[in-house]
């Protein structure tokens, strides 16, 4: 192993073992850096000083009202250059979806399927680029974090069937408009979206007593109902009754995709009455009267209002913004805010960011950055103009966090243990050295000219880092071109 990696590995021992710290509030100047680190993908030069001057409370309110923050022209131009980013779900399917073969054949050949898939790969590529441009250039950082949080919570992997056509439109149409709104509205939008209906196979589900389901072996698909009650709302630890799963599956039978048939069918969603039975159903102890698609709307609203849902969502928000070890009093207080406000996400976040726990010194700089946060923080803190972001998406692939393609129903786990695997850490340390030397392709694509190394102390100031004695000595002792790499690979550089 190169000497430079040995230096970093010795520093990184601090990532695995940390001494407990007694509860103590952060000083105001440290609180500003803490707030920026937690409410953004990383500070840009001057941001921590700006927040110190305006006050953390004002910064929180600024981020909770993203519509008042104008986005830069550079971001608008970057997004406008991505042709698929402006296309809705229906347009994407019509342009890039599977086509019926010509002639007498009923099914496409494997070559035709492969060619169609390759043509459609631009959707995933451009969705990833749009996401990275927003993360790097938008002042609406909390909104971008919440889009990432909710996509992970309501995960749809790009590799799942036709979902590869819609990962970008799913986020734009179902998640982004409600990322800081009401949980009930978000849940309804996500459950209606063709990407989710394809992902959890509800699009082909039919009640056994419906015209389309009669006589067919196992026409009812229950996987969507089960994930809705666990991963999406009440949590994996909730005591779910099989009768409720079955009832919810019957309620959602007929929620499918296709050409619109009624005014309520839009953006590829369609309610197929031929797959739904016209009967009253009992769900979570409540009788839901037969009313077609409205049965599902009522059931989702009921799920969104459950105390278990409040606890599950609030605990995940605490893990995302504060600590993996969720303080139970904070979870209970946020759950009360969630229920009292009828799932107002802004109200819950405001309560979280103003809580004594959020200001507790023991949590500052103690969360481990996942690959997306790490890469974004480095690029943002550098202050250097970014020429392209496709290489950053590639970096995330080999760091183990491919954009829009996390496995499972709840995406990537928000746990340091996941990212401390030896192979992933080695890749991360190599990236730290490359970035520290100023050699990330996003800064000078296609250029082989000499580049200037990043300034380690400028990075530390921008990020608001307080370096340990071991890290300070390691940075001071490194060769001039390697100092920034040592800083970025240190525990302080890896945590926030």
């Amino acid at each position: 192993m190169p000497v430079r990696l040995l230096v970093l590995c010795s520093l990184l021992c601090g990532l695995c073992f940390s001494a407990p710290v007694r509860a103590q509030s952060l000083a105001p100047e440290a609180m500003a850096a803490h707030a920026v680190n937690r409410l953004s993908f990383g500070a840009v030069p001057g941001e921590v000083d700006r927040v110190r001057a305006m006050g953390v409370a004002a910064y929180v309110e600024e981020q909770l009202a993203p519509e008042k923050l104008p986005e830069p022209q550079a971001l608008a131009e970057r997004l406008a250059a991505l042709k698929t980013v402006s296309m809705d779900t229906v347009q994407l399917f019509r342009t890039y979806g599977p086509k019926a073969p010509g002639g007498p054949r009923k099914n496409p050949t494997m070559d035709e399927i492969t060619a169609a898939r390759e043509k459609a790969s631009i959707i995933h590529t451009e969705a990833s680029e749009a996401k990275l441009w927003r993360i790097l250039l938008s002042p609406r950082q909390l909104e971008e974090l919440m889009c990432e949080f909710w996509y992970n919570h309501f995960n749809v992997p790009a590799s799942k069937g036709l979902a590869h056509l819609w990962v970008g439109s799913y986020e734009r149409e179902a998640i982004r408009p409600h990322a800081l709104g009401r949980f009930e509205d978000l849940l309804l939008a996500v459950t209606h979206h063709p990407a989710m209906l394809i992902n959890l196979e509800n699009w082909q589900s039919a009640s056994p007593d419906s015209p389309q389901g009669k006589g067919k072996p196992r026409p009812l698909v229950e996987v969507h109902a089960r994930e809705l009650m666990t991963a999406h709302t009440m949590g994996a630890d909730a005591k779910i009754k099989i009768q409720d799963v079955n009832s919810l599956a019957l309620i959602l039978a007929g929620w499918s995709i296709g050409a619109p048939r009624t005014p309520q069918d839009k953006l590829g969603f369609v309610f197929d009455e031929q797959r739904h039975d016209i009967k009253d159903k009992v769900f979570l102890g409540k009788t839901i009267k037969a009313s077609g698609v409205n049965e599902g709307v009522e059931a989702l609203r009921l799920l969104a209002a459950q105390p278990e849902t409040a606890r599950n969502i609030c605990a995940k928000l605490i893990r995302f913004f504060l600590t993996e070890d969720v303080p139970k009093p904070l979870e209970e207080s946020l759950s009360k805010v969630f229920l009292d406000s009828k799932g107002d996400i802004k109200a819950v976040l405001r309560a979280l960011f103003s809580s004594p726990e959020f200001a507790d010194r023991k949590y500052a700089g103690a969360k481990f950055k996942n690959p997306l946060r790490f890469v974004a923080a480095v690029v943002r803190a550098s202050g250097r103009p970014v020429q392209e972001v496709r290489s950053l998406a590639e970096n995330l692939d080999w760091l183990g966090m491919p954009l829009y393609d996390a496995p499972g129903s709840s995406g990537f786990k928000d746990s340091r243990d996941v990212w401390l695997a030896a192979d992933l850490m080695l890749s991360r340390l190599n990236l730290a050295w490359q970035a520290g030397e100023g050699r990330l392709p996003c800064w000078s694509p296609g250029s082989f000219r000499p580049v200037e190394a990043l300034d380690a102390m400028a990075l530390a100031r921008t990020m608001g880092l307080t370096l340990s004695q071991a890290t300070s000595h390691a940075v001071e002792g490194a060769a001039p071109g390697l100092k920034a790499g040592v800083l970025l690979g240190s525990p302080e550089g890896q945590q926030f």
Side-chain angles (χ1 to χ4, degrees):
M1 181 182 292
V3 172
R4 62 188 187 183
L5 289 183
L6 285 173
V7 171
L8 285 178
C9 288
S10 65
L11 287 174
L12 289 176
C13 290
L15 293 175
C16 303
F17 305 101
S18 58
V21 180
R22 289 186 300 172
Q24 186 176 349
S25 295
L26 286 162
E29 58 272 15
M31 186 63 189
H34 176 57
V36 172
N37 280 328
R38 297 302 171 92
L39 273 71
S40 77
F41 276 95
V44 295
E47 183 74 353
V48 172
D49 290 337
R50 184 181 77 89
V51 174
R52 283 178 183 145
M54 71 188 299
V56 169
Y59 174 66
V60 169
E61 290 304 316
E62 175 189 80
Q63 289 298 311
L64 286 173
E67 69 282 356
K68 296 180 181 178
L69 292 170
E71 293 189 321
Q73 182 64 27
L75 175 58
E77 291 172 357
R78 294 293 190 178
L79 297 179
L82 305 172
K83 62 180 181 180
T84 63
V85 166
S86 60
M87 300 170 72
D88 65 28
T89 292
V90 175
Q91 291 173 311
L92 289 168
F93 181 80
R94 289 175 175 168
T95 306
Y96 295 98
K99 303 293 190 298
R105 290 185 295 106
K106 293 183 179 181
N107 298 306
T109 65
M110 284 304 299
D111 286 344
E112 288 170 333
I113 292 172
T114 300
R117 186 88 186 198
E118 289 177 354
K119 177 185 176 183
S121 66
I122 188 65
I123 300 171
H124 186 190
T125 298
E126 291 193 341
S128 298
E129 290 184 77
K131 185 180 191 70
L132 289 167
W133 282 123
R134 287 184 179 279
I135 286 171
L136 296 179
L137 300 180
S138 176
R140 304 172 182 180
Q141 285 291 292
L142 180 58
E143 181 179 62
E144 296 309 314
L145 281 172
M146 290 306 296
C147 286
E148 173 67 9
F149 174 84
W150 289 124
Y151 199 105
N152 224 39
H153 181 76
F154 295 110
N155 185 47
V156 172
S159 54
K160 183 67 180 287
L162 286 177
H164 72 279
L165 299 173
W166 299 321
V167 286
S169 63
Y170 170 59
E171 183 177 56
R172 290 192 304 275
E173 296 163 358
I175 293 176
R176 185 171 292 277
H178 308 290
L180 288 165
R182 293 172 67 241
F183 179 74
E184 175 187 300
D185 297 332
L186 174 63
L187 182 65
L188 285 166
V190 165
T191 309
H192 273 92
H193 201 276
M196 184 62 75
L197 294 170
I198 284 282
N199 178 45
L200 294 179
E201 303 172 18
N202 201 88
W203 69 282
Q204 56 190 350
S205 183
S207 168
D209 294 328
S210 69
Q212 287 290 328
K214 285 181 178 177
K216 292 184 179 178
R218 300 182 65 83
L220 189 68
V221 179
E222 295 184 338
V223 62
H224 195 178
R226 187 175 297 107
E227 294 299 327
L228 263 170
M229 294 188 69
T230 54
H232 293 178
T233 57
M234 296 167 68
D237 296 331
K239 296 179 180 178
I240 306 298
K241 295 179 180 178
I242 189 63
Q243 299 96 317
D244 284 325
V245 174
N246 183 260
S247 291
L248 184 56
L250 290 170
I251 287 168
L252 295 177
W255 284 42
S256 191
I257 62 175
R261 306 177 186 184
T262 67
Q264 68 198 4
D265 299 340
K266 55 185 177 181
L267 293 176
F269 170 83
V270 63
F271 178 66
D272 187 348
E273 294 179 343
Q274 296 299 305
R275 297 185 184 191
H276 193 83
D277 65 49
I278 308 174
K279 295 178 183 177
D280 294 350
K281 301 165 184 74
V282 177
F283 179 59
L284 295 178
K286 180 181 174 66
T287 298
I288 295 182
K289 294 292 185 181
S291 55
V293 69
N294 289 327
E295 295 171 26
V297 174
E298 185 176 350
L300 291 174
R301 285 176 174 160
L302 191 59
L303 273 173
Q306 294 300 302
E308 295 92 338
T309 298
R311 286 193 292 271
N312 180 41
I313 299 302
C314 291
K316 290 190 75 169
L317 286 169
I318 293 168
R319 283 193 289 272
F320 187 75
F321 284 106
L322 186 61
T323 176
E324 291 179 39
D325 299 320
V326 177
K328 287 302 177 183
L330 180 59
E331 179 186 318
E332 291 301 322
S333 66
L334 294 189
S335 297
K336 186 177 186 303
V337 173
F338 184 101
L339 294 171
D340 290 348
S341 67
K342 300 187 185 302
D344 185 333
I345 298 163
K346 280 187 183 180
V348 173
L349 291 176
R350 184 177 288 112
L352 170 59
F353 299 143
S354 63
S355 69
E357 290 89 346
F358 189 74
D360 194 330
R361 190 178 70 175
K362 70 182 178 184
Y363 297 124
K367 268 186 70 66
F368 190 66
K369 296 173 183 174
N370 66 27
L372 178 57
R373 275 191 180 261
F374 178 69
V375 170
V378 170
V379 176
R380 284 174 59 83
S382 75
R384 294 188 172 179
V386 176
Q387 307 300 325
E388 57 84 31
V389 292
R390 194 168 293 189
S391 65
L392 296 178
E394 293 170 355
N395 289 149
L396 291 168
D397 286 348
W398 56 264
L399 288 175
M401 196 176 182
L403 294 177
Y404 297 116
D405 208 14
S409 298
S410 296
F412 295 108
K413 292 183 179 179
D414 191 12
S415 169
R416 73 169 51 213
D417 292 343
V418 173
W419 307 114
L420 280 173
D423 57 335
L424 296 179
M425 280 305 302
L426 184 58
S427 296
R428 186 186 289 233
L429 295 179
N430 279 322
L431 183 69
W433 283 107
Q434 186 181 9
E437 292 174 338
R439 293 188 293 108
L440 289 185
C442 67
W443 293 322
S444 56
S447 173
F448 296 96
R449 58 181 169 75
V451 292
E452 183 181 355
L454 299 181
D455 184 315
M457 291 302 101
L459 285 175
R461 286 192 299 272
T462 294
M463 294 176 161
L465 301 182
T466 299
L467 304 184
S468 67
Q469 188 176 44
T471 298
S472 294
H473 287 167
V475 172
E476 290 168 4
L482 303 180
K483 292 181 185 293
V486 171
L487 176 75
L488 294 174
S490 71
E492 293 89 341
Q494 302 273 3
Q495 299 184 144
F496 68 108

